[in-house]
Amino acid sequence: MGRKIKSKKFHRNRNKEKHLRPGGGRHSYDSRKKGKSGRNFLSIIKPDEVRLGTGAARLLEGIGVPEPMPFTPDPFQLQALEAIEESDVIVTAPTGSGKTWIAKEGIRKLLAEGRRAWYTTPLKALTNSKYIEFCEEFGEDRVGILTGDRKINPNAPLIVGTTEIYRNQLFDALRSGSSVEVDLVVLDEAHYISDDERGHVWEEAIILTPSRIRLLLLSATIGRVDLLAKWMQDVRGVTVKVIDRSGSRPVELRAAYLSLNMKFLPLYDERGNFNREIK
């Protein structure tokens, strides 16, 4: 008798069983496995076993919840809101400085006037987060979401979606001879325009957006913003205002790590070198 040949379906199922794990990736380990090789380091940490290494106390100093204070917009935020009335706007400012506030207030004004807005992000996770945030801010009945996975309330006056979905709507409108019913489009994380693989999506979204629609671009890391503004003005025929809030971050970054011997250490020592304390 010849060898038994197992079906392709059997091999596919065995392959899934062997490689696909709850962690996500094909080669992720299964955190439910017993034994040393399957233990998740973070799951076995006991807070009372963690020791502070040299410089850790200084790193943690001052961290906490600040006292509540009345909100006062920064001048760059007010400048951006004023500029978006008549021109496209590019806001470049460090993370945590309040770029989203500009978008929220611009959207709030539009919704009060019975107009419509789109808020785009490059990532589905960020889009989902903004959808929840805007539902709380403006009400679920006024907010929809469009991604490759979710389609909720697509006729809402405010749509949160990925940049690809917005670009696709522009293509659909172009093919059908219709128009995209929106008055403001926010392109969050606009520095993706320089991405080698996905940057064309942002270019196409900017080029295909009718000039009657205002564009608000937000980014913390966009480079050569002057060249981007000139290009946008050339392809759209709309004045572009650059709002540059340069300077230090309002929310300071502090880098640290937990060593295998349970020591909490600053990533860099006082001389600026990688911290290699091991005792």
Side-chain angles (χ1 to χ4, degrees), residues 18 47 51 65 83 89 154 199-200 209 216:
K18 181 178 180 181
R51 297 172 295 137
V65 180
V89 175
H200 67 93
T209 297
L216 173 60

Side-chain angles (χ1 to χ4, degrees), residues 26-268:
R26 180 179 176 84
H27 299 290
S28 299
Y29 67 82
D30 188 343
S31 61
R32 297 170 300 179
K33 281 176 67 176
K34 295 181 180 180
K36 187 175 180 180
S37 62
R39 298 178 73 189
N40 185 333
F41 178 66
L42 294 178
S43 70
I44 62 175
I45 291 176
K46 298 178 181 178
D48 57 351
E49 294 180 353
V50 176
R51 297 172 295 137
L52 296 183
T54 303
R58 184 178 66 255
L59 182 81
L60 297 172
E61 185 178 355
I63 293 179
V65 180
E67 292 293 327
M69 297 176 61
F71 174 75
T72 303
D74 281 351
F76 86 94
Q77 294 173 313
L78 298 176
Q79 291 170 17
L81 280 178
E82 182 179 354
I84 199 65
E85 294 288 336
E86 302 294 337
S87 61
D88 292 342
V89 175
I90 304 174
V91 177
T92 173
T95 300
S97 57
K99 296 186 294 297
T100 302
W101 182 87
I102 299 169
K104 280 185 179 180
E105 294 308 304
I107 291 169
R108 193 187 313 279
K109 183 176 185 297
L110 284 177
L111 295 182
E113 296 170 351
R115 296 196 285 169
R116 306 171 66 85
W118 250 88
Y119 190 103
T120 78
T121 89
L123 305 172
K124 291 180 183 178
L126 181 56
T127 299
N128 289 329
S129 175
K130 290 297 181 184
Y131 171 68
I132 294 171
E133 180 181 344
F134 290 162
C135 281
E136 294 174 353
E137 186 79 24
F138 303 113
E140 292 186 17
D141 59 319
R142 307 175 82 185
V143 185
I145 182 171
L146 292 176
T147 68
D149 300 327
R150 303 180 72 187
K151 182 178 181 181
I152 300 174
N153 202 9
N155 296 317
L158 170 59
I159 297 296
V160 185
T162 55
T163 315
E164 279 84 356
I165 295 296
Y166 172 67
R167 185 276 313 265
N168 291 346
Q169 287 204 348
L170 292 170
F171 277 134
D172 291 342
L174 190 64
R175 283 191 290 264
S176 64
S178 58
S179 61
V180 177
E181 297 301 322
V182 65
D183 301 286
L184 169 69
V185 175
V186 181
L187 299 175
D188 200 359
E189 309 292 345
H191 49 270
Y192 267 77
I193 195 171
S194 63
D195 185 85
D196 289 339
E197 296 184 0
R198 299 178 63 196
H200 67 93
V201 174
W202 277 255
E203 293 179 0
E204 291 161 358
I206 291 170
I207 293 170
L208 294 176
T209 297
S211 57
R212 64 174 177 81
I213 300 172
R214 296 281 66 78
L215 291 179
L216 173 60
L217 279 64
L218 308 176
S219 175
T221 59
I222 199 164
R224 297 306 306 270
V225 66
D226 53 332
L227 293 181
L228 175 60
K230 183 180 184 307
W231 173 77
M232 286 178 58
Q233 192 161 310
D234 289 344
V235 299
R236 283 176 45 77
V238 176
T239 302
V240 180
K241 178 74 173 179
V242 175
I243 307 294
D244 183 7
R245 190 277 191 197
S246 55
S248 60
R249 293 172 52 101
V251 180
E252 181 187 357
L253 288 180
R254 301 182 186 183
Y257 70 97
L258 186 65
S259 69
L260 290 175
N261 62 351
M262 296 298 181
K263 292 191 75 173
F264 181 78
L265 297 161
L267 185 59
Y268 301 101

